[in-house]
Amino acid sequence: MAGRKYDVVIVGGGPGGLSATVYLSKKGFKVKVFEKKKVLGKPVRCGEYFPVKDEMVRLLPRVKCIDIIDAPEDAVDSRCKSIRLVSPRGHEFEFPFAASILDRHVFESHLGDIARNNGADIDVGVQAHFYPDEDGGWVGPTRELADHGQVIIAADGYPSETAERAGLPEREYAGPYAVATNIEYLMTDLGVEQDVAEMYMDPRYSPGGYGWIIPKGHGRANVGIGIREPYVRRDWQIRDLLTGFIEKNKVAAKRLIGGKKASLIGDSLPVDGPLERTYSDRVMAVGDAAGMVMPTNGGGIQTAMITGHLAGEAAVRFFEDKTPLSSYEAAWKDQIGVEMDNSKRMRQASDRLMGHGFFFDMMLRLMGTRRIADVIMCQVPSGMGPFMHVLA
């Protein structure tokens, strides 16, 4: 039934939108979600890498809602105990880091079930558009078939049409260095280690980004690359680069011998930190739609959940105390702003060396395992603050 009135309408039923929905529906607010996928969490659009709560407490020590970082047992395909970074010349650096590898469909369906049980309405298979008005706006496949919300949450990924229609600086973000293109196969029949996630820094096959092998149990793994346009030679196609990574990277090719390609996915990811502004009078952007992806590692599930939850809290304050939605931006800046900023600065610093395999390899060897671990986890490595400023 179209034309219904809601307190909050959420565009996008991924981790960010669903976390906001769970919070708001538990608080008794009338919430509607539109998700363009026909099934929550399918097709998968990421590596499904989900650091455990204890690691997130260490990485984001000021987050107050860290308890939401949890995955039900049946949503976990496998568990990793460490990350191994492989340099352009095949040097390996491994450090402990605990993470679950999710089944995103089970994970997001679980969040959706909680929200529905609390009274939220979730429509799947609907490409929804935002039609602003003075009291929030209408959201739906067309203006005639739209529902109204007093507050709108843009959780529709990157680039976000909803954020743009709300006047947020989505287009200003879209510089070539700020956006990564990702492509990934689910591979089967593999003999890869099932408890180590691997990152490959190889400018030949993942120019401007990195390659990954993320095990999913039972001989399966998500195998992909992220690239950025300025680093790509004109005659290269991204699918050919992924094939090159699988077949010609001297370390990865050995790991992936005999593997079969089961499915292919791709998407764009913002890697330049949060938007300059993530709210308007009636709209908040969360997750990828707000640029809430860690620039040095591409991680975005947890930051989407955290910002979704914080947007839910801000919406409650808006309704109960007439607090402006600017409180949302103040909250995320207070709780994850420093780490997002550090991560952006380190990504910008590494950009200077990304295209040069020899120098990049040398820098990694000089840094050593501990400092590499810091950078990947969005911490400025000890003694490298001045170096980051020189490069950035």
Side-chain angles (χ1 to χ4, degrees):
M1 189 169 76
R4 296 181 67 182
K5 301 282 182 78
Y6 290 88
D7 298 314
V8 182
V9 176
I10 297 174
V11 189
L18 291 172
S19 291
T21 310
V22 166
Y23 181 79
L24 286 162
S25 59
K26 279 183 177 174
K27 292 287 184 182
F29 288 89
K30 201 173 171 192
V31 187
K32 175 68 173 274
V33 181
F34 288 100
E35 168 53 49
K36 67 182 177 184
K37 293 177 182 174
K38 291 185 173 65
V39 180
L40 293 178
K42 270 189 178 179
V44 170
R45 289 270 180 254
C46 76
E48 303 178 291
Y49 189 80
F50 191 82
V52 300
K53 185 166 70 176
D54 287 351
E55 298 288 8
M56 294 308 297
V57 168
R58 198 163 55 82
L59 296 184
L60 300 171
R62 288 181 307 285
V63 172
K64 298 182 177 76
C65 60
I66 205 76
D67 283 341
I68 65 168
I69 304 302
D70 207 4
E73 201 59 41
D74 61 344
V76 176
D77 274 344
S78 66
R79 299 185 190 281
C80 284
K81 64 173 175 50
S82 62
I83 292 174
R84 181 184 296 138
L85 183 133
V86 183
S87 80
R89 298 200 155 195
H91 296 103
E92 298 182 12
F93 307 87
E94 185 172 340
F95 56 94
F97 192 80
S100 301
I101 314 304
L102 299 179
D103 179 320
R104 277 284 293 270
H105 166 56
V106 176
F107 178 68
E108 289 175 28
S109 297
H110 169 74
L111 292 175
D113 288 345
I114 294 171
R116 284 191 181 104
N117 289 339
N118 286 313
D121 292 335
I122 301 177
D123 280 8
V124 295
V126 179
Q127 179 76 57
H129 307 286
F130 173 45
Y131 306 92
D133 68 15
E134 289 176 7
D135 302 313
W138 298 86
V139 178
T142 65
R143 172 61 187 82
E144 293 70 34
L145 296 173
D147 293 323
H148 191 271
Q150 295 181 61
V151 168
I152 310 297
I153 295 178
D156 46 344
Y158 180 85
S160 167
E161 178 194 293
T162 309
E164 193 175 312
R165 287 192 176 188
L168 302 183
E170 192 82 9
R171 285 228 171 141
E172 293 167 29
Y173 194 104
Y177 289 92
V179 180
T181 304
N182 303 318
I183 185 171
E184 172 185 276
Y185 283 113
L186 173 63
M187 294 186 70
T188 64
D189 301 296
L190 294 168
V192 298
E193 291 164 86
Q194 289 298 315
D195 57 359
V196 181
E198 294 191 319
M199 300 172 69
Y200 288 80
M201 316 308 289
D202 189 341
R204 294 169 304 165
Y205 304 117
S206 52
Y210 66 90
W212 61 85
I213 300 175
I214 299 175
K216 276 179 69 69
H218 307 291
R220 301 172 303 148
N222 289 326
V223 179
I225 57 170
I227 66 168
R228 280 180 293 152
E229 209 55 52
Y231 295 96
V232 179
R233 293 184 194 159
R234 287 168 189 268
D235 55 341
W236 286 352
Q237 300 295 318
I238 186 168
R239 193 180 242 183
D240 297 332
L241 289 170
L242 178 53
T243 300
F245 169 65
I246 291 168
E247 295 176 358
K248 296 178 184 170
N249 177 286
K250 64 181 184 183
V251 179
K254 284 181 188 165
R255 309 259 206 265
L256 300 171
I257 282 174
K260 294 186 174 63
K261 297 165 184 169
S263 60
L264 180 67
I265 56 150
D267 73 344
S268 296
L269 200 64
V271 290
D272 209 38
L275 298 184
E276 286 294 322
R277 189 162 49 84
T278 55
Y279 71 95
S280 67
D281 286 349
R282 296 284 183 144
V283 179
M284 294 172 282
V286 306
D288 290 12
M292 297 291 177
V293 173
M294 292 294 189
T296 51
N297 60 32
I301 302 176
Q302 269 102 344
T303 43
M305 294 177 75
I306 290 164
T307 52
H309 186 92
L310 294 177
E313 291 180 341
V316 171
R317 290 191 292 272
F318 174 85
F319 287 113
E320 292 184 349
D321 308 318
K322 303 222 171 2
T323 305
L325 296 184
S326 57
S327 78
Y328 161 64
E329 186 156 304
W332 73 250
K333 282 185 173 175
D334 176 52
Q335 296 183 40
I336 64 172
V338 170
E339 290 77 13
M340 294 298 278
D341 189 56
N342 285 345
S343 186
K344 177 179 176 175
R345 285 195 296 123
M346 287 184 287
R347 195 228 76 219
Q348 289 173 336
S350 68
D351 279 357
R352 300 292 181 92
L353 299 173
M354 270 253 169
H356 308 282
F358 173 77
F359 292 112
F360 201 36
D361 187 272
M362 192 164 70
M363 184 186 81
L364 291 169
R365 291 167 73 187
L366 285 170
M367 287 171 66
T369 302
R370 187 170 167 203
R371 285 172 169 171
I372 289 170
D374 285 341
V375 170
I376 292 172
M377 296 308 144
C378 311
Q379 319 288 315
V380 175
S382 57
M384 290 194 72
F387 175 70
M388 307 314 281
H389 286 299
V390 170
L391 279 177

